[in-house]
Amino acid sequence: MDLAHYAQQYKRFLWCLKLISQTMPLRFGYPMAALSAHYLSPRRDEKEQVIQTVEACLGNEGINPEKTWHDFLNHVGATDMNTFLYRHLNQDWLKRHVDIDSELDIPAALAEGKGLLLMTYHNHYPHFFAVLLGLMGYKTYLIARDYTTTPIYPFLEKMAIQYYSDCESHFQGGSYIYVSDNTAMSNMRSIHHALKRGNIVVSLNDFPNTFAPKRSMTVEFFGRPLTCPIGTVQMALKQGAVIGAGWVRWIGQDRYHLEIKALDAQGDVDHIMQQYFELLGSLIKTDPSIWEGWRWLNP
């Protein structure tokens, strides 16, 4: 990949989304951002890979791979326009634009004082998920890849710094906990301390684990092996923390749906991960375009 060319494409796409965010009401802006992704997003290059993998994994489920790809780009446009909205979000925005459906009593979970691990997914909106938790009033820590170690970072440094700063400003005193191939032990201890102090830790556990291979397990997902990180689950179980899974997705116009499920934390890591992937499977069958992980299940 020509990173410089990719970065230039991405900058043009983001410039368009910034203009949309500044000139249109959100009920029109989000659909326009979704449409723009079909013409300007550099992620259009992922089309063949996504369509082939969806066909291989869900061909017997009556899923239309072409429609999946169309909706995939719609999500790309919606989530990338949020780049220019994060700094303006507040609790009033949350009430007007987000439908919250939680079967987990978060205040009661936090009242136990042992922390709450919320496992989310690579579903276009993991940063937005953590931001919404912050807007709900909860001190939140989000485990994320250290963006300064990504190959494209030198080309988008200013944008990246602003993006992560804007998101983190809503974490109610929480922060990002960055991981990479050279993650310091202090970062790992930060996860433990955040749970021990009774806060929310958000982790993504649905991707091929490269950061801590000794803290990983292989699951079968749509008939294909996927080796995923389990370190946060091990910590949460050891701490006696409450464990749940959740996600947020754009459902059209200016509306989002935030959903949180309780997980049975009485079992072992295998039991937690089974529940976690069962929820992802059901989410994907409802809307396969919501998941960005198709590239990890190449046929």
Side-chain angles (χ1 to χ4, degrees):
M1 177 191 293
D2 183 340
L3 290 175
H5 178 66
Y6 183 91
Q8 284 301 319
Q9 284 187 305
Y10 196 29
K11 285 180 180 178
R12 284 195 293 270
F13 177 47
L14 290 175
W15 179 88
C16 176
L17 297 183
K18 183 177 183 179
L19 184 63
I20 291 171
S21 72
Q22 293 174 338
T23 58
M24 288 187 176
L26 291 183
R27 66 182 183 277
F28 302 124
Y30 276 120
M32 181 59 70
L35 179 63
S36 299
H38 291 261
Y39 298 96
L40 297 175
S41 173
R43 299 192 65 182
R44 290 175 298 164
D45 293 343
E46 299 174 32
K47 179 178 181 179
E48 183 177 352
Q49 185 180 59
V50 170
I51 286 180
Q52 286 183 354
T53 311
V54 169
E55 176 65 38
C57 294
L58 298 174
N60 296 327
E61 300 285 342
I63 299 297
N64 183 331
E66 285 285 348
K67 183 179 185 305
T68 296
W69 173 245
H70 179 274
D71 294 342
F72 185 99
L73 283 180
N74 287 346
H75 286 300
V76 168
T79 193
D80 280 354
M81 194 175 84
N82 285 337
T83 301
F84 306 102
L85 300 177
Y86 281 129
R87 70 200 65 171
H88 306 298
L89 301 190
N90 53 36
Q91 290 185 340
D92 181 60
W93 193 98
L94 176 75
K95 292 176 183 177
R96 287 186 288 113
H97 298 289
V98 183
D99 300 321
I100 301 174
D101 179 12
S102 177
E103 69 175 31
L104 195 158
D105 187 338
I106 297 179
L110 295 178
E112 294 184 19
K114 297 180 180 180
L116 168 60
L117 174 66
L118 283 179
M119 304 163 68
T120 191
Y121 305 96
H122 286 81
N123 70 334
H124 300 285
Y125 307 99
H127 299 270
F128 191 36
F129 179 74
V131 166
L132 294 184
L133 291 169
L135 291 175
M136 291 166 67
Y138 304 119
K139 189 173 184 178
T140 302
Y141 293 83
L142 173 59
I143 303 170
R145 181 180 180 180
D146 183 353
Y147 64 91
T148 65
T149 66
T150 61
I152 201 171
Y153 171 71
F155 301 95
L156 299 170
E157 178 178 1
K158 185 176 180 180
M159 288 185 175
I161 292 173
Q162 186 67 56
Y163 176 91
Y164 282 84
S165 175
D166 287 346
C167 288
E168 193 173 67
S169 69
H170 297 294
F171 289 178
Q172 300 294 327
S175 66
Y176 280 99
I177 299 175
Y178 295 112
V179 295
S180 69
D181 292 330
N182 300 307
T183 301
M185 282 304 299
S186 60
N187 286 38
M188 302 308 294
R189 285 194 292 269
S190 295
I191 301 172
H192 171 73
H193 292 323
L195 289 173
K196 189 175 181 179
R197 292 167 183 157
N199 299 308
I200 294 178
V201 171
V202 176
S203 68
L204 292 82
N205 300 71
D206 62 335
F207 69 102
N209 182 32
T210 60
F211 304 134
K214 293 182 179 180
R215 293 192 172 191
S216 64
M217 68 177 291
T218 300
V219 300
E220 186 175 286
F221 193 55
F222 289 113
R224 287 165 169 75
L226 188 60
T227 301
C228 304
I230 57 172
T232 54
V233 180
Q234 292 172 328
M235 289 186 194
L237 287 174
K238 185 176 181 179
Q239 175 70 22
V242 177
I243 303 177
W247 55 85
V248 60
R249 65 189 181 101
W250 180 56
I251 56 176
Q253 294 187 332
D254 59 351
R255 304 300 303 175
Y256 283 92
H257 185 213
L258 171 65
E259 194 164 359
I260 298 174
K261 302 288 188 181
L263 299 184
D264 176 13
Q266 298 305 309
D268 56 11
V269 172
D270 287 2
H271 182 54
I272 298 296
M273 294 302 287
Q274 179 184 359
Q275 297 172 76
Y276 173 71
F277 274 100
E278 284 177 352
L279 285 172
L280 178 58
S282 64
L283 176 63
I284 284 174
K285 289 178 181 179
T286 300
D287 180 6
S289 68
I290 196 67
W291 196 47
E292 297 180 281
W294 295 113
R295 62 189 183 276
W296 301 320
L297 300 179
N298 284 333

